[in-house]
Amino acid sequence: MPGSVKDVIKRVRPTVGTALEAGRATVETAIEHGRATVEDALHHGRATVESALHHGRATVETAIHHGRATMQAAILHGREDIRIESVPVPKAEPGELIVQVGAALTCGTDLKVFRRGYHARMIVPPALFGHELAGTVVEAGAGVADFKSGDRVVALNSAPCGKCYFCQHNQENLCDDLLFNNGAYAEFIRIPSRIVAKNTLRVPNHVPLEHAALTEPLACAVHGFEDSKPYPGATIAIIGGGPLGLMMLHVAALSGCETIAVVKHDGQVEAARQLGAKHVVQTTSIRKAIRDTRALTPNDRGVDIAIEAVGIPEAWEEAVEMVRKGGTVNFFGGCAVGTHVALDTNRIHYSDITLRATFHHTPAMCLKALDLIASGNFQAGAFITGRAHLYELNRVFEKLMKRSTEIKTAIVP
Ligand SMILES: [Zn+2]
Ligand SMILES: [Zn+2]
């Protein structure tokens, strides 16, 4: 019965086709679900591993910190006398943090202290030494809610009280009870509760710790710059090619001011150019520096703003002679105790010159400084010209005393 075999085949073929089709769809769905499940598992697995690694690292760091009784730290004993000693690792009291120092930076103030052997307000020997640092929290005292072990932070060198007349009048830099902290040249540093509460900042992940450690001096520079009544296009002369002079110069250049760097050494000329100086006047004498700077302004009228960042009386006088009528002078560099300046009273009065003398920083300026570092516009790397181990600290300061071309050296414990 050939007719009926054909019939059967006709009837069965569509069924086979349908079965095949349904089978393929089922297999594809199974594969699709399987892939999604595997991807999901992978994703969760990775997140779990990363989280475990992070926690593990924090735990190990804490364990290392707790397991150690002593650490290496620089102790200032007096004039040009720093010794690296074994001292107890600090423990966090309520509100305090213990930070493992990632990088501590040398500073002009530390150099002054090294030379003189003390600083009336900041440090009385024998004492832990160094104040510009960033690192990783290894212990948080009771009651600290904002930071935990493993956090990368920059802890400032001071914090205002918040209660005195000056704090309540928006002049926290002049606080009657400014609390200073030293001890950055060490493996670990204790951060007092007031600094934890008011002047400790989280460092964004993309910012290296040694860059974040620039927050303190940069906060002084930003403060001094903003205090000098700047405006875009203003011509601003900065006297001094030390770390703070160069920082001020860079801040002014980034803000759109026309900058004139007045510096002494060849290395400073180069650094000033790199950091955005429109003109560089290399000083041979104060008279000539004043003349050359004025010559860069229309009709020799003088600069709109002059900032002194050297800290010697002659440079203060020089700054007043560079500025135009109606201009602003900022005596930013602190001079030695007991020094005086001779200023032309007629020139100051009849030329209507504003005199400012900005000191230190405020918590708001510290925030601005770290934001500027994190923005990527600020060339933080240009300010760190050397690296040294803690045990080389004496040699580093001796070298800095001989007026090397170094701007800042990162001390790594
Ligand atoms: Zn400093
Ligand atoms: Zn105060």
Side-chain angles (χ1 to χ4, degrees):
M1 302 212 304
S4 75
V5 170
K6 237 184 201 170
D7 271 359
V8 169
I9 289 172
K10 243 187 219 160
R11 231 181 312 121
V12 169
R13 199 167 30 224
T15 315
V16 169
T18 311
L20 271 176
E21 194 56 47
R24 192 165 42 225
T26 313
V27 168
E28 270 168 8
T29 309
I31 288 174
E32 194 56 47
H33 274 89
R35 191 165 42 221
T37 313
V38 168
E39 269 168 9
D40 213 41
L42 269 177
H43 178 75
H44 274 87
R46 193 163 42 222
T48 312
V49 167
E50 270 167 8
S51 156
L53 269 177
H54 179 78
H55 274 88
R57 195 163 41 224
T59 313
V60 167
E61 271 164 9
T62 310
I64 287 173
H65 163 67
H66 279 292
R68 287 186 45 185
T70 60
M71 64 170 184
Q72 298 295 298
I75 309 287
L76 178 77
H77 282 270
R79 259 184 64 196
E80 293 176 36
D81 185 6
I82 298 172
R83 298 175 214 163
I84 307 302
E85 295 176 12
S86 220
V87 301
V89 176
K91 292 264 168 269
E93 296 293 320
E96 295 182 345
L97 290 177
I98 305 300
V99 169
Q100 181 168 27
V101 179
L105 304 179
T106 60
C107 162
T109 307
D110 288 346
L111 184 61
K112 251 191 245 176
V113 172
F114 179 71
R115 219 184 254 133
R116 291 182 196 157
Y118 69 95
H119 187 295
R121 290 195 70 185
M122 280 172 61
I123 184 166
V124 181
L128 292 160
F129 192 38
H131 65 274
E132 294 177 10
L133 80 127
T136 309
V137 173
V138 290
E139 188 187 358
V144 175
D146 296 340
F147 303 100
K148 59 178 188 324
S149 185
D151 286 351
R152 300 164 83 242
V153 295
V154 54
L156 275 292
N157 65 330
S158 69
C161 75
K163 292 179 205 138
C164 73
Y165 176 88
F166 301 96
C167 281
Q168 299 203 330
H169 287 79
N170 246 338
Q171 293 180 306
E172 293 149 301
N173 58 314
L174 303 178
C175 174
D176 274 333
D177 182 29
L178 211 50
L179 173 78
F180 284 99
N181 192 32
N182 282 290
Y185 302 131
E187 289 179 87
F188 300 94
I189 181 170
R190 190 181 68 93
I191 311 299
S193 59
R194 194 201 282 178
I195 296 181
V196 175
K198 295 192 173 166
N199 246 350
T200 299
L201 308 172
R202 206 177 295 279
V203 177
N205 277 335
H206 71 279
V207 179
L209 288 175
E210 65 177 29
H211 291 183
L214 288 166
T215 301
E216 194 271 323
L218 184 58
C220 296
V222 171
H223 190 200
F225 175 67
E226 290 195 356
D227 240 8
S228 308
K229 298 203 281 185
Y231 52 93
T235 301
I236 174 165
I238 289 132
I239 306 169
L244 269 168
L246 292 174
M247 237 176 231
M248 186 75 95
L249 171 78
H250 194 38
V251 169
L254 289 175
S255 304
C257 290
E258 194 170 307
T259 49
I260 303 173
V262 183
V263 301
K264 220 176 193 171
H265 307 282
D266 292 343
Q268 295 172 335
V269 172
E270 229 167 274
R273 289 233 163 83
Q274 191 197 332
L275 294 169
K278 176 137 192 224
H279 308 281
V280 179
V281 170
Q282 195 166 8
T283 49
T284 42
S285 76
I286 285 182
R287 277 291 114 211
K288 191 165 181 309
I290 294 167
R291 228 178 24 242
D292 291 355
T293 303
R294 281 185 162 273
L296 291 167
T297 62
N299 306 320
D300 287 6
R301 74 170 171 235
V303 298
D304 303 315
I305 300 164
I307 295 178
E308 196 277 357
V310 183
I312 58 170
E314 293 76 15
W316 280 39
E317 292 166 3
E318 180 183 10
V320 175
E321 296 298 323
M322 278 181 183
V323 81
R324 68 162 165 83
K325 285 193 278 187
T328 299
V329 174
N330 195 330
F331 302 123
F332 183 67
C335 301
V337 181
T339 49
H340 295 86
V341 286
L343 299 178
D344 180 343
T345 52
N346 263 254
R347 184 176 150 61
I348 291 168
H349 178 76
Y350 294 103
S351 298
D352 199 345
I353 291 169
T354 302
L355 302 180
R356 300 280 304 114
T358 310
F359 165 70
H360 208 54
H361 52 68
T362 61
M365 291 300 153
C366 296
L367 267 175
K368 274 193 188 179
L370 183 57
D371 280 350
L372 186 55
I373 292 167
S375 74
N377 296 325
F378 185 81
Q379 295 178 42
F383 290 91
I384 297 159
T385 48
R387 267 171 211 86
H389 194 272
L390 184 58
Y391 60 74
E392 300 171 284
L393 195 58
N394 254 307
R395 191 187 55 75
V396 169
F397 276 110
E398 277 158 17
K399 200 169 149 205
L400 286 174
M401 287 221 295
K402 288 187 201 112
R403 262 268 55 118
S404 66
T405 51
E406 301 284 341
I407 302 176
K408 279 177 176 291
T409 300
I411 305 296
V412 184

PDB file of all heavy atoms in Angstrom, residues 106-110 131-132 157 216-217 408, ligand 1:
ATOM      1  N   THR A 106      59.673  66.760  53.608  1.00  0.00           N
ATOM      2  CA  THR A 106      60.490  67.788  54.255  1.00  0.00           C
ATOM      3  C   THR A 106      59.858  69.142  53.953  1.00  0.00           C
ATOM      4  O   THR A 106      59.178  69.306  52.948  1.00  0.00           O
ATOM      5  CB  THR A 106      61.931  67.775  53.725  1.00  0.00           C
ATOM      6  OG1 THR A 106      61.903  68.012  52.312  1.00  0.00           O
ATOM      7  CG2 THR A 106      62.616  66.467  54.030  1.00  0.00           C
ATOM      8  N   CYS A 107      60.129  70.103  54.846  1.00  0.00           N
ATOM      9  CA  CYS A 107      59.462  71.397  54.749  1.00  0.00           C
ATOM     10  C   CYS A 107      60.410  72.468  55.246  1.00  0.00           C
ATOM     11  O   CYS A 107      61.271  72.200  56.081  1.00  0.00           O
ATOM     12  CB  CYS A 107      58.203  71.333  55.614  1.00  0.00           C
ATOM     13  SG  CYS A 107      57.520  72.911  56.045  1.00  0.00           S
ATOM     14  N   GLY A 108      60.238  73.686  54.716  1.00  0.00           N
ATOM     15  CA  GLY A 108      61.086  74.809  55.128  1.00  0.00           C
ATOM     16  C   GLY A 108      61.020  75.051  56.629  1.00  0.00           C
ATOM     17  O   GLY A 108      62.020  75.395  57.256  1.00  0.00           O
ATOM     18  N   THR A 109      59.830  74.836  57.211  1.00  0.00           N
ATOM     19  CA  THR A 109      59.676  75.037  58.652  1.00  0.00           C
ATOM     20  C   THR A 109      60.526  74.019  59.413  1.00  0.00           C
ATOM     21  O   THR A 109      61.216  74.365  60.374  1.00  0.00           O
ATOM     22  CB  THR A 109      58.196  74.892  59.065  1.00  0.00           C
ATOM     23  OG1 THR A 109      57.421  75.759  58.235  1.00  0.00           O
ATOM     24  CG2 THR A 109      57.978  75.249  60.511  1.00  0.00           C
ATOM     25  N   ASP A 110      60.504  72.769  58.966  1.00  0.00           N
ATOM     26  CA  ASP A 110      61.314  71.725  59.617  1.00  0.00           C
ATOM     27  C   ASP A 110      62.802  72.064  59.505  1.00  0.00           C
ATOM     28  O   ASP A 110      63.575  71.831  60.438  1.00  0.00           O
ATOM     29  CB  ASP A 110      61.062  70.354  58.974  1.00  0.00           C
ATOM     30  CG  ASP A 110      59.689  69.817  59.333  1.00  0.00           C
ATOM     31  OD1 ASP A 110      59.056  70.357  60.256  1.00  0.00           O
ATOM     32  OD2 ASP A 110      59.248  68.854  58.679  1.00  0.00           O
ATOM     33  N   HIS A 131      55.874  67.120  60.033  1.00  0.00           N
ATOM     34  CA  HIS A 131      54.437  67.435  60.126  1.00  0.00           C
ATOM     35  C   HIS A 131      53.656  67.324  58.812  1.00  0.00           C
ATOM     36  O   HIS A 131      52.462  67.559  58.800  1.00  0.00           O
ATOM     37  CB  HIS A 131      54.260  68.831  60.713  1.00  0.00           C
ATOM     38  CG  HIS A 131      54.796  69.903  59.824  1.00  0.00           C
ATOM     39  ND1 HIS A 131      56.116  70.286  59.862  1.00  0.00           N
ATOM     40  CD2 HIS A 131      54.225  70.637  58.861  1.00  0.00           C
ATOM     41  CE1 HIS A 131      56.310  71.226  58.964  1.00  0.00           C
ATOM     42  NE2 HIS A 131      55.187  71.465  58.328  1.00  0.00           N
ATOM     43  N   GLU A 132      54.312  67.005  57.699  1.00  0.00           N
ATOM     44  CA  GLU A 132      53.553  66.866  56.445  1.00  0.00           C
ATOM     45  C   GLU A 132      53.507  65.385  56.088  1.00  0.00           C
ATOM     46  O   GLU A 132      54.526  64.805  55.732  1.00  0.00           O
ATOM     47  CB  GLU A 132      54.239  67.656  55.318  1.00  0.00           C
ATOM     48  CG  GLU A 132      54.216  69.153  55.556  1.00  0.00           C
ATOM     49  CD  GLU A 132      54.947  69.943  54.480  1.00  0.00           C
ATOM     50  OE1 GLU A 132      55.312  69.356  53.434  1.00  0.00           O
ATOM     51  OE2 GLU A 132      55.147  71.143  54.680  1.00  0.00           O
ATOM     52  N   ASN A 157      48.661  69.154  60.201  1.00  0.00           N
ATOM     53  CA  ASN A 157      49.586  69.349  61.312  1.00  0.00           C
ATOM     54  C   ASN A 157      48.968  70.109  62.474  1.00  0.00           C
ATOM     55  O   ASN A 157      49.578  70.277  63.513  1.00  0.00           O
ATOM     56  CB  ASN A 157      50.833  70.100  60.838  1.00  0.00           C
ATOM     57  CG  ASN A 157      50.499  71.521  60.377  1.00  0.00           C
ATOM     58  OD1 ASN A 157      49.405  71.788  59.893  1.00  0.00           O
ATOM     59  ND2 ASN A 157      51.443  72.414  60.539  1.00  0.00           N
ATOM     60  N   GLU A 216      49.103  70.205  53.335  1.00  0.00           N
ATOM     61  CA  GLU A 216      49.366  71.241  54.351  1.00  0.00           C
ATOM     62  C   GLU A 216      50.054  72.477  53.761  1.00  0.00           C
ATOM     63  O   GLU A 216      49.513  73.585  53.860  1.00  0.00           O
ATOM     64  CB  GLU A 216      50.172  70.641  55.518  1.00  0.00           C
ATOM     65  CG  GLU A 216      50.206  71.532  56.748  1.00  0.00           C
ATOM     66  CD  GLU A 216      51.358  72.529  56.763  1.00  0.00           C
ATOM     67  OE1 GLU A 216      52.459  72.190  56.309  1.00  0.00           O
ATOM     68  OE2 GLU A 216      51.162  73.674  57.209  1.00  0.00           O
ATOM     69  N   PRO A 217      51.220  72.339  53.109  1.00  0.00           N
ATOM     70  CA  PRO A 217      51.828  73.555  52.558  1.00  0.00           C
ATOM     71  C   PRO A 217      50.957  74.197  51.473  1.00  0.00           C
ATOM     72  O   PRO A 217      50.889  75.420  51.385  1.00  0.00           O
ATOM     73  CB  PRO A 217      53.156  73.061  51.971  1.00  0.00           C
ATOM     74  CG  PRO A 217      53.008  71.587  51.810  1.00  0.00           C
ATOM     75  CD  PRO A 217      52.060  71.147  52.888  1.00  0.00           C
ATOM     76  N   LYS A 408      61.152  69.357  47.668  1.00  0.00           N
ATOM     77  CA  LYS A 408      60.782  68.565  48.840  1.00  0.00           C
ATOM     78  C   LYS A 408      61.276  67.139  48.672  1.00  0.00           C
ATOM     79  O   LYS A 408      61.286  66.619  47.553  1.00  0.00           O
ATOM     80  CB  LYS A 408      59.256  68.531  48.993  1.00  0.00           C
ATOM     81  CG  LYS A 408      58.721  69.780  49.668  1.00  0.00           C
ATOM     82  CD  LYS A 408      57.237  69.771  49.751  1.00  0.00           C
ATOM     83  CE  LYS A 408      56.737  70.976  50.526  1.00  0.00           C
ATOM     84  NZ  LYS A 408      57.076  70.919  51.958  1.00  0.00           N
TER      85      LYS A 408
HETATM   86 ZN    ZN B   1      55.219  72.426  56.334  1.00  0.00          ZN
END
